Amino acid sequence: MSIQCPPGMRDFYPEDMRVQNWLFDHWRSVSRAFGFSEYEGPIFEFLELYELKSGAGIVSELFSFTDRGERRFAIRPEMTPTLARMVAARANALPRPIKWFSIPRMCRAEKPQRGRLREFFQWNVDTLGSEDPLADAEVVAVAVEFLRRVGLSEQDVAVRLNHRGLMKHALEALGVPVGQQGKAFELIDRSEKIGDDAFCQHWRQHFPDSDAERVADVLRRASLDECLRLAGAGGDDLAQPTRQFREMWERLRSFACEAYCVFDPRIVRGLAYYTGAVFEVHARRVQLRALLGGGRYDDLTGLLDGPRVPGVGFGMGDAPMLEALRELGKLPRLDEGIDAFVIDADAQRFDDVLGLVTRLRREGLVVDYSYKRQAIGKQLKQASARAARYAVIVGHEWPQAEQVALKDMTTGQQRVAAAAELAACMRR
Ligand code: HAM
């Protein structure tokens, strides 16, 4: 019987790992450039953490189990509840703002599809301990800087932004009773996936006093000013979200990432804990669900019985991002990064080969050689197949291996070099 990799999970062969590491290197270096520190949490948590905090969408996708002590756990489907738990536990000791990032592996029992798997990695970037819209804009700027660094321009991707506070009022004006906005957000969050007709049908079922077609129309094309006008009936309550959202846009301008950003009333997010600005990144020309999702959550630590620590952040999945990069031709060709492949001109010199390999490795280079004693031509072929930058040939003419032939595998040029200076030559 042949047993395969479970559906929605992945094997990472070395060539896949190179791509993963390339992506993670970008995630890490961008996070650090913005002053975020890395953290990690456990792979599973008490089930209640998600039942209480994430909302129905995620809870229906949990992989959960009971241990021998009858305690119920779930493999983490997202990082935000863990982050809130960790911050709440040390809330008084942590200097503010708390700027943290993580690249956790997580599982959701989703139906596997393009860019959505059952096991994936998700880059999380969050700022806690500040209500300033500067923090909202800065996490968006982190995401935009990543997109820029991997070669995605504003023609390739868009950051679509909205604010739940504004939408609450706009929805009230559209006939959604106070207290039922959570359900409305869930339906709107799925609207693009299910299409206008199905959306209107569901909407009528839940909100019979609201004009579903009008709502669909507002979602499709209303500008920020139109939404603000619609929400205007909300009175004083509206002043704070409006100010926050406008300030966030100003800061996005200061961080020079406004060109990527658009207002979009359809972005309300499915997770229950968001309280303010919400945003997603979508590829413009590739049929994929969101590449990133995030927003402000000011009450999450409070829900965990900790002190109130407002937060804002996002998660970006590896699977959808790599799909988009692949389709847009932005994935680089990644080889093994071998600096030198050391070759013996005849089998007698193999001991010198191993001596030189050891010396170059100690000098910090990436070095390999053939396990088989064979003709120079065959070894050179191996060097080329492994995409080594240089071949180093230990020849008959230098019995002490004090000199060697150094062949640049890109240009084909070959010259004699002193073994002692090889590392420096190659670095140059
Ligand atoms: P989310 O919208 O559930 O939010 O997920 C955020 C991103 O994770 C998605 O846009 C997508 O890139 C990726 N993702 C989600 N599910 C899958 C999947 N099944 N396979 C591959 N990638 C996936 C959250 O998780 C929030 N906790 C994000 C957050 C952090 N909000 C504030 N801080």
Side-chain angles (χ1 to χ4, degrees):
M1 185 179 73
S2 91
I3 297 177
Q4 289 169 359
C5 184
M9 323 282 273
R10 286 169 292 178
D11 294 322
F12 294 96
Y13 287 89
E15 60 272 26
D16 309 313
M17 275 318 287
R18 284 201 283 278
V19 177
Q20 288 298 116
N21 288 335
W22 170 83
L23 180 69
F24 290 10
D25 285 349
H26 275 297
W27 282 351
R28 285 208 167 86
S29 64
V30 173
S31 307
R32 291 205 192 101
F34 280 74
F36 286 74
S37 299
E38 189 160 2
Y39 71 100
E40 236 310 1
I43 186 78
F44 56 82
E45 293 268 13
F46 284 105
L47 181 64
E48 298 93 287
L49 185 68
Y50 307 111
E51 285 177 336
L52 293 173
K53 319 304 165 209
S54 299
I58 277 208
V59 170
S60 67
E61 293 174 345
L62 285 177
F63 283 106
S64 57
F65 61 95
T66 306
D67 75 355
R68 272 173 278 186
E70 294 299 308
R71 289 172 298 196
R72 298 188 314 149
F73 296 102
I75 300 176
R76 62 186 173 193
E78 59 156 337
M79 197 61 171
T80 318
T82 298
L83 171 65
R85 183 180 62 65
M86 287 168 65
V87 167
R90 295 206 181 160
N92 297 326
L94 293 168
R96 316 288 172 91
I98 301 156
K99 291 169 61 167
W100 288 2
F101 81 95
S102 190
I103 307 179
R105 186 179 209 137
M106 49 186 61
C107 289
R108 292 186 191 179
E110 282 205 46
K111 186 167 155 249
Q113 51 187 291
R114 190 169 172 227
R116 286 289 184 277
L117 302 174
R118 292 185 143 191
E119 183 191 40
F120 58 100
F121 291 87
Q122 192 197 54
W123 179 35
N124 279 254
V125 175
D126 290 88
T127 299
L128 291 102
S130 169
E131 275 178 296
D132 194 326
L134 173 63
D136 306 48
E138 191 175 46
V139 294
V140 172
V142 173
V144 169
E145 180 57 17
F146 163 80
L147 297 168
R148 211 186 54 75
R149 287 192 191 187
V150 295
L152 296 175
S153 72
E154 60 267 35
Q155 270 91 47
D156 300 315
V157 284
V159 184
R160 295 159 59 180
L161 299 121
N162 196 358
H163 193 292
R164 275 198 170 183
L166 299 182
M167 282 312 278
K168 260 189 184 167
H169 290 294
L171 289 171
E172 218 180 300
L174 290 165
V176 173
V178 181
Q180 289 186 36
Q181 278 101 354
K183 186 72 215 171
F185 288 153
E186 262 176 52
L187 291 178
I188 296 173
D189 185 58
R190 286 173 46 222
S191 63
E192 278 183 90
K193 200 166 123 194
I194 61 177
D196 270 3
D197 289 346
F199 168 75
C200 287
Q201 214 179 333
H202 285 123
W203 191 267
R204 271 181 227 112
Q205 275 168 14
H206 285 94
F207 306 110
D209 299 330
S210 166
D211 179 347
E213 272 75 21
R214 168 121 196 271
V215 174
D217 194 52
V218 167
L219 294 177
R220 230 183 354 252
R221 55 169 146 241
S223 65
L224 176 56
D225 285 339
E226 283 165 317
C227 278
L228 281 171
R229 251 196 315 281
L230 194 61
D236 288 349
D237 275 3
L238 193 62
Q240 200 196 13
T242 308
R243 182 189 54 76
Q244 287 172 340
F245 203 46
R246 289 211 189 279
E247 245 179 83
M248 179 181 180
W249 279 98
E250 268 162 41
R251 297 301 186 193
L252 288 171
R253 218 166 289 142
S254 318
F255 285 124
C257 53
E258 199 201 4
Y260 280 83
C261 301
V262 289
F263 168 74
D264 192 328
R266 286 168 298 189
I267 302 302
V268 291
R269 309 277 298 132
L271 290 162
Y273 47 67
Y274 293 114
T275 52
V278 278
F279 48 89
E280 290 183 356
V281 170
H282 290 254
R284 287 187 191 272
R285 291 173 277 126
V286 183
Q287 275 300 319
L288 271 175
R289 282 168 62 191
L291 308 179
L292 168 158
R296 178 163 276 284
Y297 49 93
D298 284 347
D299 303 328
L300 195 50
T301 54
L303 291 173
L304 291 163
D305 296 332
R308 182 173 177 277
V309 187
V312 60
F314 67 79
M316 174 190 287
D318 63 338
M321 185 42 77
L322 290 174
E323 283 286 339
L325 287 167
R326 198 165 286 124
E327 183 154 337
L328 294 167
K330 304 288 185 189
L331 276 187
R333 285 171 62 91
L334 299 165
D335 58 41
E336 290 178 68
I338 293 179
D339 297 311
F341 196 87
V342 187
I343 290 171
D344 52 348
D346 73 62
Q348 308 286 320
R349 306 304 308 276
F350 185 52
D351 206 42
D352 291 324
V353 165
L354 294 185
L356 191 55
V357 163
T358 303
R359 174 184 186 157
L360 293 175
R361 284 175 176 168
R362 285 188 182 162
E363 287 176 326
L365 294 173
V366 181
V367 185
D368 215 349
Y369 60 94
S370 173
Y371 266 38
K372 275 196 198 151
R373 309 289 35 91
Q374 50 191 6
I376 293 188
K378 286 204 168 151
Q379 296 184 63
L380 276 171
K381 254 197 183 146
Q382 279 192 52
S384 161
R386 302 278 301 278
R389 278 169 52 227
Y390 290 97
V392 176
I393 305 161
V394 181
H396 324 271
E397 52 278 55
W398 304 293
Q400 307 302 322
E402 70 285 1
Q403 288 194 306
V404 292
L406 180 65
K407 183 179 172 109
D408 184 320
M409 297 299 286
T410 320
T411 62
Q413 278 174 354
Q414 188 168 317
R415 66 191 169 93
V416 175
E421 284 160 20
L422 261 186
C425 283
M426 287 190 248
R427 288 221 170 82
R428 234 178 277 136

